[in-house]
């Protein structure tokens, strides 16, 4: 029975579609995490940045809709708001951890708490009863890809995805290229490995770190918008429900590289998609809860070094002080 | 002569004031700043349109105060929140002492509660005198195991404790949900709850104990209104145990050295790895016990699925332990503060229409104000005689590296985040 359902799940195009959807959802904040950690700033606040992004996207989309703007413009505003909101939270993190040299982990925890508090608080003040949900026309669209979408299996899996999915794909290769094939990527990695040396070579350590942390917020905010405007179509308090932490797990599991993180996100996404497929099992549907632990168990195993150890950038988490040696 | 004596006394009072300022300055400032920031949030959002925004601030904070400590019943309700928080804060705080940032108290509590629940529901026919200790021991062991994994991975494999505690938290949340939602522990109606514990597996309310002892000749307490259970007394006892461990044992001393200066600890021959494992075992044990006692002490005596992952006690504990600066008295008072904020926030919502999540915002801000170096800015604003003295530089300067890498290399030297150093400095 169990294996039958599992087999059905694995062969259904729907499962793989959901897999890719969730992989992209996790990958956006994970890419942000990779950039931030590579520049030497620990970021455990993707969860909070995502949540803020999700909240801002829904609220701004609905507000723009109330102004009577056209649907496409509303969604665009929502998307922008999510990115800006995520970026602002990241700016807070950057300001404290770079300027004040606050412990980056403490700052990350504080951001997660503030994001949860602020979004739930504002949600109650704006929408006292119920949850704000979006009609279909105010959600992120699935772009019509014509004949491609009609290919039997691949069409459903690859070409009926949300528009953000394709953007994420571009971003993935963009970030990989940026980090490992460009001058600025080399600088980012240098700043994360040995800021003193980078500084001596004329790299502006603080500026670069600011940029990296803020872009991690932009990406996480976009991820939040994908979750709220694309996947869910509503905003719930604490709707990210640990996804930002799975993204963090993906960053570590993927050995701090964009492609590695993408691979990790695929594995975690498959776990989530399978858990949906297994919901058909009825009384043993409870197995979902166990499957949900898998991303975290994988990451622990990776941390312990059973499947090849992951090593963070050498200066990750250490505030840069030009005066120290 | 007299003048001299006066001057001596004056100097002593000033020194005493400075010490007091050193100890209390930052926490008081952090709380004050957070309250001001919260007031600004209320001012901007203006939730109660029947009042003008400024009165709204006062009505909100007034309701928060009366809702938490205004009446004996509200104090009792606050203590219900405070008791698990003290356990969780002790867990975070003792790890802080070793320079470890344990954000896994929530998971350790969930595991502890689950272990106690499993024992209580499995050996349902055991008498109370056997069952309650068995449950307590199960929770301590389970919590210690959950914390011990973190300590082991940190000490022997160099995995950063923040990452492992986050991962273990979610494993605990989903894992306990699995056990709660499925047979054999789940309640028959499919309400995502476990069966209630048998009556002999619960711990009594303080009011019950009072009525049976002193209440026989003093006024009796109403057990429906005063719902605080005896776990608060255990919590106080645990604070004493914490004080004893940290300040009266060699182990506590060694842990402090490890936290403040790992290199010195290494050269002094302190067994770093073993102590890190032990400190995380103890941290997990505190939290596990807290989770179990909350289950055993509060009505309905059931575990609910998804409750663990949405329970704010883990967050509160981080804030409380930072605010209390890991000192026993600090832990007590900051737990009272955050427990009070939590329990008063419902009253704040009823009276002033301010959403209880304001408390989370305050909490996050307090964490920031405790961790960031605002003090130099404010020091300049203070009159000279109130300015805290600079301490001799036994500890690192404020801008020294704070957190170590996310996971260090175990084969080299175990890396420690210097949070405890930071604690000392601030």
């Amino acid at each position: 029975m169990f294996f039958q359902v599992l087999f059905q799940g694995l062969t259904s195009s729907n499962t793989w579609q959901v897999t890719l959807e969730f992989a992209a959802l996790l990958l956006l904040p994970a890419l942000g995490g990779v950039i931030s950690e590579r520049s030497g700033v620990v970021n455990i606040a993707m969860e909070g940045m995502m949540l803020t992004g999700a909240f801002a996207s829904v609220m701004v989309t609905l507000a723009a809709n109330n102004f009577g703007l056209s649907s496409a413009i509303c969604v665009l505003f929502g998307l922008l708001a999510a990115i800006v909101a995520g970026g602002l939270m990241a700016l807070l993190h950057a300001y404290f951890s770079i300027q004040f040299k606050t412990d980056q982990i403490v700052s990350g925890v504080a951001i997660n708490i503030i994001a949860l508090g602020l979004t739930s608080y504002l949600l109650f003040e704006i929408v006292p009863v119920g949850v704000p949900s979006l009609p279909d026309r105010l959600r992120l669209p699935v772009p019509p890809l014509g004949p491609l979408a009609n290919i039997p299996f691949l069409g459903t899996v690859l070409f009926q995805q949300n528009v953000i999915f394709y953007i994420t794909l571009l971003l993935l290769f963009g970030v990989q290229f940026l980090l490992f094939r460009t001058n600025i990527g080399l600088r980012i990695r240098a700043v994360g490995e040995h800021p003193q040396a980078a500084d001596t070579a004329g790299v502006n350590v603080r500026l670069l770190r600011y940029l990296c942390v803020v872009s991690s917020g932009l990406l996480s905010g976009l991820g939040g918008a994908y979750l709220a405007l694309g996947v869910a179509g509503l905003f719930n308090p604490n709707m990210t429900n640990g996804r930002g932490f799975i993204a963090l797990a993906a960053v570590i599991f993927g050995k701090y590289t964009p492609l590695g993180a993408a691979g990790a996100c695929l594995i975690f996404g498959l776990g989530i998609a399978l858990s949906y497929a297994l919901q058909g099992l009825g009384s043993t549907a409870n197995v979902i809860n166990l499957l949900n632990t898998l991303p975290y168990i994988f990451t622990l195993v990776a941390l312990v070094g059973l499947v090849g150890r992951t090593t963070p950038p050498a200066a990750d988490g250490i505030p840069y002080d030009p005066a120290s040696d | 002569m007299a003048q001299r004596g006066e001057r001596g006394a004056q100097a002593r009072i000033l020194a005493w004031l400075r010490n007091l300022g050193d100890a209390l300055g930052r926490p008081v400032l952090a709380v004050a700043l957070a309250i001001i920031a919260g007031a600004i949030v209320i001012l901007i959002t203006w939730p109660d349109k029947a009042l003008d925004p400024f009165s709204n601030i006062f009505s909100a904070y007034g309701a928060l105060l009366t809702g938490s400590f205004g009446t004996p019943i509200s104090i009792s309700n606050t203590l219900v929140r405070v008791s698990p928080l003290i356990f969780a804060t002790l867990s975070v705080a003792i790890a802080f002492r070793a320079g470890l940032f344990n954000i896994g108290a929530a998971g350790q509590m969930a595991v502890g509660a689950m272990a106690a629940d499993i024992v209580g529901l499995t050996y349902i026919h055991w008498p109370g005198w056997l069952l309650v200790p068995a449950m307590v021991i199960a929770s301590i062991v389970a919590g210690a195991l959950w914390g011990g994994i973190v300590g082991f991975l940190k000490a022997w494999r160099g995995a950063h404790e923040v990452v492992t505690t986050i991962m273990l938290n979610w494993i605990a949340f989903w894992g306990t949900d699995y056990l709660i939602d499925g047979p054999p522990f789940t309640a028959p109606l499919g309400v995502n709850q476990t069966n209630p514990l048998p009556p002999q597996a619960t711990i009594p309310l303080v009011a019950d104990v009072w009525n049976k002892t002193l209440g026989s000749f003093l006024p009796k307490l109403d057990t429906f209104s005063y719902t605080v259970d005896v776990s608060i007394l255990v919590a106080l006892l645990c604070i004493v145990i914490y004080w004893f461990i940290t300040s009266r044992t060699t182990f506590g001393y060694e842990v402090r050295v490890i936290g403040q200066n790992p290199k010195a600890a290494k050269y002094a021959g302190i067994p770093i790895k073993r102590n890190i494992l032990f400190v995380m075992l103890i941290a997990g044990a505190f939290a596990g016990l807290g989770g179990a006692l909350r289950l055993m002490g509060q009505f309905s005596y059931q575990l609910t699925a998804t409750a663990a992952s949405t329970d704010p006690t883990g967050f509160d504990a981080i804030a409380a332990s930072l605010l209390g600066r890991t000192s026993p008295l600090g832990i007590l008072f900051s737990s009272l503060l955050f427990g009070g904020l939590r329990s008063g926030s419902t009253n704040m919502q009823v009276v002033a229409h301010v959403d209880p999540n304001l408390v989370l915002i305050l909490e996050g801000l307090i964490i920031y104000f405790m961790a960031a170096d605002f003090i130099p800015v404010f020091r300049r604003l203070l009159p000279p005689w109130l300015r805290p003295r600079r301490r001799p530089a036994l500890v690192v300067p404020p801008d020294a590296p704070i957190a170590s890498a996310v996971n260090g290399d175990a084969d080299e030297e175990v890396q420690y985040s210097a949070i405890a150093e930071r604690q000392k400095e601030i």
Side-chain angles (χ1 to χ4, degrees):
Chain A
M1 177 65 183
F2 178 83
F3 287 102
Q4 202 181 349
V5 176
L6 191 68
F7 182 74
Q8 273 171 9
L10 280 174
T11 48
S12 119
S13 58
N14 200 22
T15 304
W16 292 98
Q17 191 190 16
V18 175
T19 300
L20 288 187
E21 182 176 81
F22 274 97
L25 185 61
L26 297 173
L27 183 56
L28 281 169
L31 284 178
V34 168
I35 298 176
S36 175
E37 307 256 355
R38 277 285 177 173
S39 79
V41 180
V42 172
N43 188 351
I44 60 166
M46 275 101 80
E47 172 90 359
M49 296 170 190
M50 249 183 125
L51 191 60
T52 326
F55 175 78
S57 70
V58 170
M59 287 305 151
V60 169
T61 306
L62 285 175
N65 188 44
N66 285 348
F67 270 115
L69 301 175
S70 76
S71 310
I73 304 282
C74 291
V75 175
L76 202 64
F77 271 130
L79 215 52
L80 279 177
I83 294 171
V84 171
L88 282 178
M89 286 311 245
L91 193 62
L92 192 68
H93 183 49
Y95 183 67
F96 274 94
S97 46
I98 299 169
Q99 217 74 29
F100 277 108
K101 293 170 186 157
T102 307
D103 188 295
Q104 293 164 11
I105 287 160
V106 175
S107 166
V109 170
I111 286 197
N112 284 335
I113 295 178
I114 291 176
L116 179 60
L118 200 62
T119 53
S120 311
Y121 177 86
L122 290 176
L123 179 70
F124 176 79
E125 298 303 341
I126 299 170
V127 189
V129 185
V131 290
S133 64
L134 299 159
D136 275 348
R137 63 181 185 87
L138 288 181
R139 291 172 65 167
L140 287 164
V142 176
L145 291 175
L148 283 176
N150 295 330
I151 304 172
F153 187 82
L154 287 179
T156 322
V157 176
L158 281 177
F159 301 113
Q160 291 182 18
Q161 293 283 357
N162 198 289
V163 59
I164 303 288
F165 173 81
Y166 304 105
I167 295 177
T168 309
L169 220 53
L170 288 179
L171 283 171
L172 164 63
F173 292 108
V175 173
Q176 177 80 20
F177 185 80
L178 176 91
L179 275 181
F180 295 103
R181 290 280 180 278
T182 64
N183 207 340
I184 191 153
L186 182 65
R187 288 177 183 200
I188 291 174
R189 286 182 291 139
V191 163
E193 296 287 347
H194 202 309
Q196 284 79 10
D199 197 9
T200 316
V203 179
N204 189 338
V205 176
R206 286 189 164 187
L207 179 71
L208 213 51
R209 284 190 170 176
Y210 260 106
L211 290 177
C212 287
V213 176
V214 169
S215 49
S216 84
L218 303 179
L219 286 165
S220 304
L222 183 62
Y226 186 20
L227 177 65
L229 294 184
V231 178
L234 49 81
F235 181 82
N236 262 332
N238 197 17
M239 77 180 298
T240 43
N241 196 17
R243 289 196 181 89
F245 292 122
I246 306 185
L248 175 68
V251 172
I252 300 161
F253 195 57
K255 302 189 175 180
Y256 301 89
T257 63
L259 286 178
C265 289
L266 267 181
I267 298 176
F268 300 165
L270 180 63
I272 296 170
L274 276 182
S275 70
Y276 281 115
L278 290 176
Q279 266 172 348
L281 280 176
S283 62
T284 45
N286 192 14
V287 152
I288 295 162
N289 285 322
L290 273 193
L291 282 174
N292 280 332
T293 62
L294 287 181
Y296 307 109
I297 294 176
F298 282 160
T299 307
L300 274 187
V301 171
L303 271 176
V304 179
L306 291 184
V307 288
R309 194 190 200 83
T310 72
T311 327
D316 204 8
I318 304 169
Y320 176 53
D321 179 10
S324 77
D325 53 338
Chain B
M1 225 13 204
Q3 211 178 4
R4 219 173 179 182
E6 246 168 54
R7 207 175 291 155
Q10 198 182 3
R12 242 176 295 147
I13 290 169
L14 281 183
W16 181 80
L17 269 179
R18 278 205 204 93
N19 283 336
L20 195 71
D22 263 3
L24 290 181
R26 198 181 186 94
V28 168
L29 193 68
V31 172
L33 285 174
I35 287 175
I36 292 169
I40 294 171
V41 172
I42 298 175
L43 195 63
I44 293 170
T45 52
W46 189 16
D48 189 357
K49 297 285 192 274
L51 299 167
D52 66 285
F54 282 97
S55 319
N56 202 172
I57 295 172
F58 290 107
S59 74
Y61 282 135
L64 197 57
L65 197 64
T66 50
S68 50
F69 296 104
T71 63
I73 292 180
S74 61
I75 291 176
S76 155
N77 289 336
T78 295
L79 291 181
V80 171
R81 310 297 296 255
V82 168
S83 154
L85 182 55
I86 287 178
F87 287 105
T89 309
L90 288 175
S91 168
V92 179
I94 198 161
F96 260 141
R97 288 267 173 150
L100 300 172
F101 196 15
N102 173 23
I103 53 181
Q108 291 147 15
M109 288 180 93
V111 170
M114 195 69 232
D117 206 27
I118 289 174
V119 171
L121 292 175
T122 309
Y123 303 103
I124 204 157
H125 301 297
W126 284 10
W129 59 265
L130 186 60
L131 191 51
V132 169
M135 290 165 73
V136 165
I137 289 169
S139 71
I140 289 177
V141 169
L145 199 70
W146 216 244
I149 296 174
V150 177
F152 174 78
L153 293 181
K154 172 78 183 183
W156 276 276
R157 309 294 309 188
H160 196 285
E161 75 280 2
V162 167
V163 179
T164 50
T165 44
I166 289 176
M167 303 301 146
L168 282 170
N169 268 353
W170 287 91
I171 294 173
F173 297 156
W174 292 115
T176 52
D177 281 0
Y178 173 74
L179 291 170
I180 291 167
D181 262 347
F185 305 114
T186 197
L189 286 169
V191 284
N192 300 339
Q193 283 181 325
T194 56
N195 284 311
L197 289 173
Q200 82 274 17
T202 59
I203 54 174
L205 300 183
V206 171
D208 268 332
V209 176
W210 170 272
N211 288 348
K212 277 180 197 142
T213 53
L214 294 169
S216 45
F217 46 90
L218 286 170
K220 286 193 191 297
L221 290 173
D222 173 16
T223 53
F224 287 100
S225 309
Y226 297 94
T227 53
V228 60
D229 55 90
V230 294
S231 71
I232 186 75
L233 305 176
V234 185
L236 295 178
L237 180 69
C238 280
I239 292 184
V240 177
I241 294 174
Y242 171 87
W243 165 81
F244 185 81
I245 293 176
T246 51
S247 4
R248 286 292 177 275
T249 63
T250 320
F251 169 71
Y253 171 75
E254 289 180 351
V255 161
R256 216 161 57 231
V257 178
I258 293 171
Q260 287 176 25
N261 195 338
K263 274 192 185 144
K266 194 180 173 191
Y267 293 129
I270 291 173
I272 294 180
K273 293 184 174 181
R274 201 185 69 200
N275 278 339
I276 283 192
L277 177 63
F278 280 176
V279 90
M280 284 312 298
L281 283 172
I282 296 172
F286 275 136
L289 178 62
L293 291 183
R294 175 164 57 180
L295 166 72
M296 294 157 72
Q298 284 303 307
F299 173 72
S300 103
Y301 308 105
Q302 293 168 304
L303 287 179
T304 309
T306 72
S309 63
T310 49
D311 173 28
T313 310
F315 287 152
D316 294 357
I318 296 167
S321 137
L322 274 169
L323 187 67
R325 301 165 94 190
T326 74
S327 84
L329 274 181
I331 290 170
L332 178 63
F333 284 114
S334 53
S335 297
L336 279 171
L337 174 74
F338 286 110
L341 285 176
R342 284 270 165 230
S343 80
S345 63
T346 31
N347 190 44
M348 179 174 74
Q349 186 176 27
V350 173
V351 174
H353 307 286
V354 176
D355 187 69
N357 283 299
L358 182 71
V359 171
L360 271 179
I361 304 177
L362 295 183
E363 210 169 272
L365 291 172
I366 287 175
I367 293 179
Y368 257 134
F369 295 143
M370 283 306 290
D373 260 326
F374 287 103
I375 288 292
V377 181
F378 284 93
R379 193 178 280 141
R380 269 176 246 129
L381 299 177
L382 289 174
W385 60 273
L386 258 179
R387 277 180 203 168
R389 266 170 316 168
R390 284 228 161 264
R391 289 176 185 216
L394 172 86
V395 285
V396 275
D399 44 0
I402 297 307
S404 59
V406 163
N407 58 352
D409 197 342
D411 305 325
E412 293 282 313
E413 192 179 312
V414 188
Q415 292 184 325
Y416 306 94
S417 61
I419 291 171
E421 291 170 349
R422 177 61 156 227
Q423 291 278 300
K424 199 69 190 172
E425 165 67 17
I426 57 188

